[in-house]
Amino acid sequence: MIDQTLLPARLEVLECGDVDSLIKAIKEMKIRGAPALGVAGAFGVALAVFNAQSFEEVEDAARKLSTARPTAVNLSYGVLRAMRRVRTAKSLEEARRAALEEAKKMAEEDVATNRKIGEHGASFLEDGDVVMTICNAGRLACVDFGTALGVIRAAVERGKRIRVFACETRPLNQGSRLTTFELLADGIPVTLITDGMSGFVMQQRLVSKVIVGADRVVSDGFFNKIGTYSLAVLAKHHRIPFYVAAPLSSFDLGKRSEDVEIEVRSADELKFFCGVQIAPLDVEVYNPAFDFTPHKLVTAFITENGIFTPKELPELQSAEKR
Amino acid sequence: MIDQTLLPARLEVLECGDVDSLIKAIKEMKIRGAPALGVAGAFGVALAVFNAQSFEEVEDAARKLSTARPTAVNLSYGVLRAMRRVRTAKSLEEARRAALEEAKKMAEEDVATNRKIGEHGASFLEDGDVVMTICNAGRLACVDFGTALGVIRAAVERGKRIRVFACETRPLNQGSRLTTFELLADGIPVTLITDGMSGFVMQQRLVSKVIVGADRVVSDGFFNKIGTYSLAVLAKHHRIPFYVAAPLSSFDLGKRSEDVEIEVRSADELKFFCGVQIAPLDVEVYNPAFDFTPHKLVTAFITENGIFTPKELPELQSAEKR
């Protein structure tokens, strides 16, 4: 996969030969983005089977991989899908073929899913719209095309002129590093701002819509990159529609917000930047990687099965995983 | 003055021997903070008179210095105060003495003013309060004690236990670098967060009050570091009181928001961090250094003359400068 920590300065492909190196790459966010994590989970199971001498080894590896990052549901879902195939296999040889097949299928599905999300979402976007987004819900976060950025891409493919404000997304700057990189590569006009500028940009009426991705949608709201909740409150205050673009594999409607763990990452992410010290070494840091946005702040969810307002979510058949 | 770009890694004193080097230091934000800029403006005039061969030279230098940064009113106010003394002097020799005297007087006044702001503001803070702030409105932004942080210091001096959430304040990280440094030095507990975390921290009820500084208060609202407006909207949404601590020298009530220029700084502040590239070089960047918060989002202004709700502001005699 592409090493997402080196962009935009370097485009390097990362190869993981075993599950431990894959888990390390996930924890270090070399691989990130909910849909990409789902597919990585399935391929990780395939890797585990290829390297394993027994089914027990595979189960152990799957357990570790499944919890490498806790908030996005996709990682454990990808692991589960591949493991279902492994568990019905009669030999390791058969399990290898089955896991790899399932992983490849998930990768293909991801692109088709994002295309469908794009089709549904593109109908919301009007010629001349200016869309604000946070983090990277683009092709880098998926296998290809992207969710939130997929909606923008699909609208542009249909001839609509769309401009984007990308919030830089501290502390790891997925907005500065990845979203701008992707959009520039596609020739979609993008303006980079800091996260703190989002309110001011809305106040000046420079933005007509907000579209974000999701790491997990539960019955009372959704989890996404830290900073999303602030954007949602600001959009509400300025009466700007706020959309969430996500595949059904990110929906986990049997759970509520209190059932989901928000990953708290290392203090060093705020004390150092590219190795340079930017805060006192002994300062206390709070570094949650995600936040929770209640459904009342969401205008609609854009999925491969269509558009759902938060009230319509219970109607949503949330994929085969349940 | 202390070179504020090197903190917290290095504490170095910066000496400016002429107005050009002072202007450069101000533009590069080695000297920053509205009250500190006011005093720097007055000392800058003194420097100009010491180096000048004629009153015309002093007038030229004062004009350039006055507009080195456009948003905070204090810089031009400090220049104006010293220039008033220069203009009534009968010789350059007399002007030197007068300008230096006025600058020293402003520096002393600043500390006394901040102490009074602290006294008034401390009455608002209760034992156990957790205060969120942005940027640095502390002693580094002033001559000593600080405005927003001065209120916190004064409350702590009165035996109240206060904790602080410091927003890192992108793009120049005055929160990470300066506010945390100051508060740790005073033993006041501080937790560093990114700007995008502010909403989530409020949602979790971890904050009881917001206190910020101001670069300029006008008749319909106030200007302060970019990100302040987002905090104000978020505080309103969560019903958290939002206070602005500022000296009367930051009030410019004869003006409205549309009369004030918001400084837009270099794109490189978002493309590079400590010299490391963090965004594509050809991406468009919007980098306003300040934003505007309308009075309706402000609970009260804390000044050296007491506390004023936005509606009471017209009563405020806004210092001798008018």
Side-chain angles (χ1 to χ4, degrees), chain A residues 168 170 180 192 229 238 284, chain B residues 168 170 192 229 238 280 284:
Chain A
E168 64 171 4
R170 292 282 297 150
T180 57
L192 175 63
Y229 171 67
H238 296 92
E284 186 182 302
Chain B
E168 65 171 2
R170 290 283 297 150
L192 176 63
Y229 172 66
H238 296 92
E284 186 182 301

Side-chain angles (χ1 to χ4, degrees), chain A residues 168 170 176-177 180 184 191-192 196-197 199 203-204 226-227 229-230 238 273 278 280 282 284 286-287 292, chain B residues 168 170 176-177 180 184 191-192 196-197 199 203-204 226-227 229-230 238 273 278 280 282 284 286-287 292:
Chain A
E168 64 171 4
R170 292 282 297 150
S176 336
R177 296 188 300 101
T180 57
L184 283 177
T191 303
L192 175 63
M197 289 170 195
Q203 182 195 49
Q204 291 176 94
I226 187 75
Y229 171 67
S230 290
H238 296 92
F273 202 99
I278 54 166
D282 51 347
E284 186 182 302
Y286 180 47
N287 184 18
F292 172 74
Chain B
E168 65 171 2
R170 290 283 297 150
S176 337
R177 296 188 299 102
T180 56
L184 284 177
T191 303
L192 176 63
M197 290 170 194
Q203 183 194 47
Q204 291 176 94
I226 188 75
Y229 172 66
S230 291
H238 296 92
F273 203 97
I278 53 166
D282 52 346
E284 186 182 301
Y286 180 45
N287 184 18
F292 173 73

